[in-house]
Amino acid sequence: MSTGTAREHTPDTGAPQDGAAGPGGLQQGLKRRHMQLIALGGVIGAGLFVGSGVVIRATGPAAVLSFLAAGALTVLIMRMLAEMTVARPALGSFYAHVRETLGLRAGFTVGWLYWYFFVIVVAVEAVAGGRIIQLWLPGAPLWAISLVLMALLTATNMVSARSYGEFEYWFSSIKVVAIVVFLFLGALYVLGLWPDAPGGLGQLTAHGGFAPEGVGAVLAAVVPCIGFFTGAEIVTIAAAESVEPERAVADAIRSIVLRVVGFYVLSVFLVVAVVPWTAKAIEVSPYAAVLDRLSVPAAGTVMNAIVLIAVLSCLNSALYTSSRMLFALTRNGDAPRGFTKVSASGVPRRALLAGTSVGYVSVIAAWISPDVVFAFLINSYGAIALFVYLAIAVAQVRMRRKLEREEPERLTLKMWWFPWLSRLTIALMVLVIGAMAFLPDSRSQFWLSLLTLAVVLAAYEVRRRRGALSEA
């Protein structure tokens, strides 16, 4: 099998036939409808349905501004990534772009950090899903439920990329419908059109004002909010298996801007407009709290079912993403060649099983040592997505300069107001990462993530000295 180089980018830019062979033997079976929902569903997870309540309780109604700021920053990063992906579709997406523009060490580091991030996500989502199912099956052990969920979705991913795409399409469709219904019901309440609803926006200032915890709390909340948006970039990794990679990515990124920010910001706005932000129920499940206020029957059960769908969607995407990133790493000698092998249906099964295996071990750790080993794993990946996003932003500036000189015709989708907005995005990312080091709630995640970064950098040096890395 041929080996990619740091300067290799795209496969053919034409629109291949559905199911045609893609780079490295992957099959191009993902359609535009899959790509749209992959992009949208990747960021609508348990973080929105559950984690947002923690932010609201720590910030007050002004949490809306925290989500808006985090969403805007994420949109800027995605726009920068889309520019590179559309100009040069590449196996591994930003891993390949960072490798080309920032060097072999940076590419190796970003690729392995991203892989590590998602194999831990596999375990986190499997455990979260197991806890929800335990509500209905209290006698079943958590570790067994989690392993069954992982096994089922691993089996789905083993079939083909289209199989992953179909499951993600329907998972994401359910999540989107749930949010739309929630927005509709919440709007009726705020407008006073719901039975016995007082209407109005009095809740936004009724309990200590709009920002009762101060501006500092609003800014601090931006850090976890960015984490909730992580996953939008999955669509660029899936582009290698898309029938129309350039068009699919461009369409998905364009549509994700308003829909994702709108879904998050509007839904959080309705939560704090309907239920007092001081209510304990908000921290447990903000959306269920709203449905309870509206006297929707079986609100808790309904939300648990929706959160389970969101968790399974994220688990499905994490398995897919970790396998494709590991497969991409093999193309440049940044990972063992054994993971290069693909099945007849174009699935890198060994790479998929590698991520699943680490997930299995992590789930067992959650059972045996939840407060030590599993807690360490959770904290050790907390800032990794931010490190990757910063590398994407810097790579975009470098690649944009190069494309303007050598291939300006490839710039069909551009970053807005370049270079000033790109530079501002980089500065904001540095600020957010720096804030993690000082904020009490994120300090341990920052330092343990920095430890993870140091381990990956050390691994690169070991590989380089052994001559195992590509000299390209």
Side-chain angles (χ1 to χ4, degrees):
M1 185 170 290
S2 62
T3 303
T5 70
R7 296 186 179 279
E8 234 175 35
H9 45 278
T10 11
D12 184 8
T13 57
Q17 295 299 313
D18 185 19
L26 300 177
Q27 297 294 312
Q28 293 174 313
L30 294 175
K31 298 180 179 180
R32 287 176 64 195
R33 66 182 179 88
H34 295 139
M35 298 292 281
Q36 289 279 354
L37 270 297
I38 287 171
L40 190 57
V43 297
I44 302 175
L48 171 61
F49 293 114
V50 180
S52 58
V54 177
V55 174
I56 292 171
R57 284 278 291 179
T59 311
V64 174
L65 300 181
S66 302
F67 277 96
L68 182 60
L73 185 54
T74 303
V75 165
L76 293 175
I77 295 290
M78 290 307 105
R79 183 74 181 192
M80 298 170 84
L81 178 55
E83 177 186 284
M84 294 189 290
T85 303
V86 171
R88 291 187 174 177
L91 182 63
S93 181
F94 49 84
Y95 154 69
H97 301 144
V98 169
R99 193 172 194 271
E100 176 185 352
T101 56
L102 304 183
L104 305 187
R105 178 183 285 102
F108 178 96
T109 303
V110 163
W112 277 108
L113 284 178
Y114 198 71
W115 179 83
Y116 179 75
F117 178 87
F118 270 101
V119 295
I120 301 303
V121 168
V122 167
V124 170
E125 300 295 347
V127 170
R131 285 174 176 157
I132 295 171
I133 292 177
Q134 268 192 325
L135 297 174
W136 301 313
L137 302 173
L142 177 62
W143 67 268
I145 300 174
S146 300
L147 293 182
V148 167
L149 293 178
M150 290 178 64
L152 289 174
L153 289 175
T154 297
T156 298
N157 275 269
M158 292 282 272
V159 176
S160 66
R162 176 175 290 184
S163 176
Y164 154 73
E166 282 295 332
F167 270 80
E168 190 57 28
Y169 177 83
W170 291 108
F171 281 151
S172 295
S173 296
I174 293 171
K175 291 187 292 186
V176 170
V177 169
I179 293 177
V180 170
V181 170
F182 175 84
L183 292 176
F184 177 71
L185 297 180
L188 290 180
Y189 187 93
V190 169
L191 294 173
L193 301 177
W194 190 261
D196 301 322
L201 301 175
Q203 294 287 5
L204 296 180
T205 56
H207 303 275
F210 182 65
E213 303 298 327
V215 176
V218 176
L219 296 177
V222 173
V223 175
C225 288
I226 290 177
F228 297 154
F229 286 103
T230 302
E233 72 287 343
I234 292 174
V235 68
T236 65
I237 295 174
E241 294 171 272
S242 169
V243 176
E244 302 174 274
E246 297 179 22
R247 185 175 180 182
V249 169
D251 288 350
I253 293 297
R254 288 190 183 106
S255 67
I256 201 174
V257 175
L258 292 178
R259 282 195 276 177
V260 168
V261 175
F263 283 165
Y264 267 86
V265 175
L266 287 178
S267 59
V268 170
F269 173 80
L270 288 174
V271 168
V272 295
V274 173
V275 181
W277 71 273
T278 53
K280 182 65 177 177
I282 277 191
E283 190 169 8
V284 176
S285 180
Y287 292 77
V290 172
L291 296 182
D292 278 333
R293 178 59 64 94
L294 272 61
S295 300
V296 174
T301 301
V302 170
M303 283 311 306
N304 284 332
I306 293 172
V307 172
L308 179 60
I309 293 295
V311 164
L312 294 178
S313 172
C314 291
L315 176 56
N316 190 41
S317 290
L319 289 166
Y320 172 85
T321 305
S322 63
S323 66
R324 269 44 176 195
M325 183 54 72
L326 182 55
F327 178 76
L329 284 161
T330 67
R331 300 280 288 169
N332 296 298
D334 285 342
R337 295 291 183 185
F339 296 118
T340 306
K341 186 176 177 60
V342 298
S343 68
S345 59
V347 177
R349 290 179 174 173
R350 293 182 181 179
L352 176 60
L353 290 175
T356 302
S357 299
V358 175
Y360 283 151
V361 172
S362 300
V363 167
I364 297 301
W367 173 50
I368 297 175
S369 182
D371 298 325
V372 180
V373 177
F374 193 64
F376 170 81
L377 293 174
I378 295 297
N379 286 312
S380 68
Y381 90 124
I384 285 177
L386 301 181
F387 295 159
V388 172
Y389 281 3
L390 178 60
I392 289 171
V394 176
Q396 184 267 336
V397 174
R398 294 276 187 91
M399 182 174 284
R400 175 65 174 267
R401 296 298 192 194
K402 183 176 181 180
L403 288 170
E404 287 177 336
R405 291 193 309 268
E406 301 175 4
E407 301 175 279
E409 70 281 359
R410 304 288 299 171
L411 290 168
T412 56
L413 187 152
K414 297 180 180 181
M415 174 60 178
W416 306 294
W417 299 328
F418 182 84
W420 306 112
L421 197 51
S422 293
R423 293 172 179 170
L424 176 62
T425 303
I426 293 172
L428 291 174
M429 285 303 304
V430 171
L431 182 63
V432 169
I433 293 172
M436 287 194 72
F438 296 99
L439 296 173
D441 292 340
S442 59
R443 189 178 299 140
S444 62
Q445 293 183 21
F446 172 80
W447 290 110
L448 288 176
S449 296
L450 209 59
L451 176 61
T452 304
L453 174 60
V455 170
V456 173
L457 288 171
Y460 173 83
E461 290 304 317
V462 171
R463 293 288 300 279
R464 183 181 64 83
R465 292 182 182 183
R466 290 182 177 179
L469 293 177
S470 169
E471 297 297 330

